[in-house]
Amino acid sequence: MIKCRILHIALALPLLISACIFLYLMQQEDGGKAISNEKVALVLPGKTSDQGWNRALFAASAKVEQDLGVKFVYLQDVSADDLQNAVSAMRNQRITKIIMGSFKDLSLLLSQKQSAKEGVRYAGFYTPKDYVYGYTELRLDLEYAYYLAGFAAARASKNGRIGFVIENFEPLSKAVVNAFVMGARRAVSGIMVFVTRSDELGHKGTAEAACDRLLDIWTVDSLAYFASNNAISRRARMRGVHYVGFLDGPNTASNLMITQIKISFENVLRQALKALNDDENSAKILDFPFGDQSISMGAYGGDLDDEDIKQLRVLDRQMREGYAVFQGNIYDNDGNERCHRGQTLDRNAFLGKSWFVEGTYLVP
């Protein structure tokens, strides 16, 4: 009897070893499965209930936790002034991998010497002026998405006047505005784009007020927003105009009048974790262009006909093949030629500068 059991164990052992090796190899796919319950800090500048970027990152993190075996520790509504304290709190918990869920320049707020000493590694959005030890920059090429958004908004317009609501005019925002206007003017030559700011502090009612100004004073008939804002999409639905925005939820405008741009934050978080788990300590840049599936476009009917949607898909494919958004001839609002025929500008052309492309109307 004992010999029989030993024989059974001996026969089963190779199968057990093979199964273990198979599971190990499976865990190495998609950037490698993290150590079970490894803690990674996700620092968010807003609340996870905002139905915007922060909510999208929070929702995506649950799927990433399940697939990769990490455990995210969330810090919500962290302002720039509180960022250093938040990072210090993470270090005190011996969390050495931190993802900054923001599009701000964060690196200057972090202690490079302390980071190097304690081996803390960061991944964050937007271009840092001084690289931090082990810093990975996650750069979403949003100008490509907004080029398509401008195209869609223009094709939905009946009177040649569209509105774009934005929170601020930071460098990335300028590039986004110019991309939006250029996409709109590609769709409809001579179209007018009226750009206004909402209250960037997000006070209740200010987003709706910005929409009403555009609709009532500047008589636009299509609205778009810089990021995701259910208040604006609901306003568009109430006023019966087309809306172009991001990350639709249960309270957004009806699909009969919306063009939706989606960003897959699951992919963004996966790539960030992969970079943070890399053994190299040098700073890295991860680009997320429109065509890499981390951003995708869902276009719905209503004011967009089949030909409009077809052209949007063609533009998407061109971007996947290397099409450059900012290519000549490009003129600013004062009639100055900023880019000559055959030349190409990148987003750095708008950093620190206040010029906007022809057809942009900045209004109060």
Side-chain angles (χ1 to χ4, degrees):
M1 180 68 69
I2 295 176
K3 289 183 178 179
C4 185
R5 288 180 179 176
I6 293 174
L7 179 61
H8 287 165
I9 293 173
L11 291 173
L13 191 58
L15 294 176
L16 180 61
I17 294 174
S18 298
C20 291
I21 293 174
F22 174 76
L23 290 174
Y24 173 80
L25 292 175
M26 288 293 290
Q27 290 177 350
Q28 303 311 302
E29 294 184 5
D30 197 18
K33 187 177 179 72
I35 299 173
S36 179
N37 292 325
E38 177 190 21
K39 291 184 178 180
V40 178
L42 183 56
V43 181
L44 303 172
K47 296 183 181 299
T48 58
S49 59
D50 67 358
Q51 296 298 326
W53 301 113
N54 298 290
R55 176 64 183 172
L57 282 165
F58 177 72
S61 67
K63 185 68 165 63
V64 174
E65 279 186 334
Q66 179 182 348
D67 291 349
L68 301 186
V70 301
K71 177 66 177 176
F72 284 106
V73 177
Y74 306 97
L75 282 80
Q76 301 182 53
D77 214 11
V78 177
S79 68
D81 294 335
D82 296 332
L83 179 61
Q84 190 66 66
N85 292 333
V87 172
S88 296
M90 293 298 96
R91 285 199 294 253
N92 292 339
Q93 295 185 39
R94 297 187 178 181
I95 296 176
T96 60
K97 294 175 182 176
I98 299 174
I99 297 176
M100 305 292 188
S102 173
F103 296 94
K104 305 289 184 181
D105 181 354
L106 300 173
S107 65
L108 297 180
L109 305 176
L110 306 175
S111 170
Q112 297 188 46
K113 291 183 179 180
Q114 189 71 11
S115 300
K117 180 180 178 181
E118 299 185 13
V120 178
R121 305 195 67 190
Y122 303 94
F125 295 100
Y126 202 34
T127 307
K129 296 177 182 177
D130 296 315
Y131 282 110
V132 177
Y133 173 89
Y135 186 95
T136 298
E137 176 196 338
L138 307 178
R139 191 164 63 194
L140 290 167
D141 288 341
L142 289 175
E143 56 265 33
Y144 288 97
Y146 277 100
Y147 188 89
L148 290 184
F151 188 97
R155 293 306 293 257
S157 175
K158 303 298 189 297
N159 68 2
R161 302 165 70 90
I162 60 179
F164 191 18
V165 182
I166 196 164
E167 290 185 352
N168 55 61
F169 286 118
E170 293 179 347
L172 179 58
S173 303
K174 297 174 187 175
V176 162
V177 169
N178 282 327
F180 182 90
V181 176
M182 291 186 66
R185 292 176 69 82
R186 173 163 178 168
V188 179
S189 178
I191 197 165
M192 303 170 72
V193 182
F194 294 87
V195 181
T196 191
R197 289 179 56 178
S198 65
D199 185 339
E200 59 186 291
L201 296 178
H203 293 158
K204 186 176 181 180
T206 56
E208 294 91 334
C211 291
D212 289 340
R213 291 196 305 271
L214 289 171
L215 291 165
D216 297 331
I217 299 175
W218 307 102
T219 62
V220 305
D221 65 354
S222 184
L223 289 172
Y225 185 63
F226 174 74
S228 170
N229 190 304
N230 284 339
I232 293 181
S233 66
R234 289 195 299 269
R235 202 63 161 191
R237 178 175 57 188
M238 186 184 77
R239 299 293 300 270
V241 297
H242 189 94
Y243 171 74
V244 178
F246 290 77
L247 308 170
D248 68 332
N251 296 319
T252 58
S254 164
N255 282 353
L256 293 178
M257 61 177 70
I258 183 171
T259 299
Q260 173 199 344
I261 311 294
K262 293 181 179 179
I263 295 178
S264 171
F265 282 103
E266 282 185 33
N267 186 28
V268 172
L269 289 176
R270 290 173 189 274
Q271 295 299 323
L273 287 170
K274 184 177 180 181
L276 290 175
N277 288 331
D278 199 311
D279 290 334
E280 273 188 45
N281 291 327
S282 59
K284 295 183 176 181
I285 297 177
L286 294 181
D287 282 295
F288 294 89
F290 187 88
D292 78 340
Q293 299 301 319
S294 70
I295 302 178
S296 63
M297 181 209 44
Y300 302 94
D303 292 324
L304 294 179
D305 59 27
D306 291 341
E307 183 60 29
D308 295 333
I309 296 174
K310 180 180 178 180
Q311 290 191 44
L312 284 166
R313 297 298 181 190
V314 169
L315 287 174
D316 182 11
R317 185 174 66 251
Q318 289 176 344
M319 290 173 183
R320 295 171 189 268
E321 296 170 353
Y323 172 81
V325 169
F326 303 119
Q327 55 185 355
N329 299 90
I330 300 175
Y331 294 87
D332 63 22
N333 261 343
D334 295 322
N336 301 311
E337 188 177 23
R338 295 283 185 163
C339 186
H340 304 294
R341 183 180 299 276
Q343 293 183 336
T344 300
L345 297 178
D346 60 20
R347 65 170 59 179
N348 293 325
F350 309 106
L351 301 183
K353 296 180 175 63
S354 58
W355 67 275
F356 292 93
V357 299
E358 185 180 23
T360 308
Y361 297 86
L362 305 180
V363 299

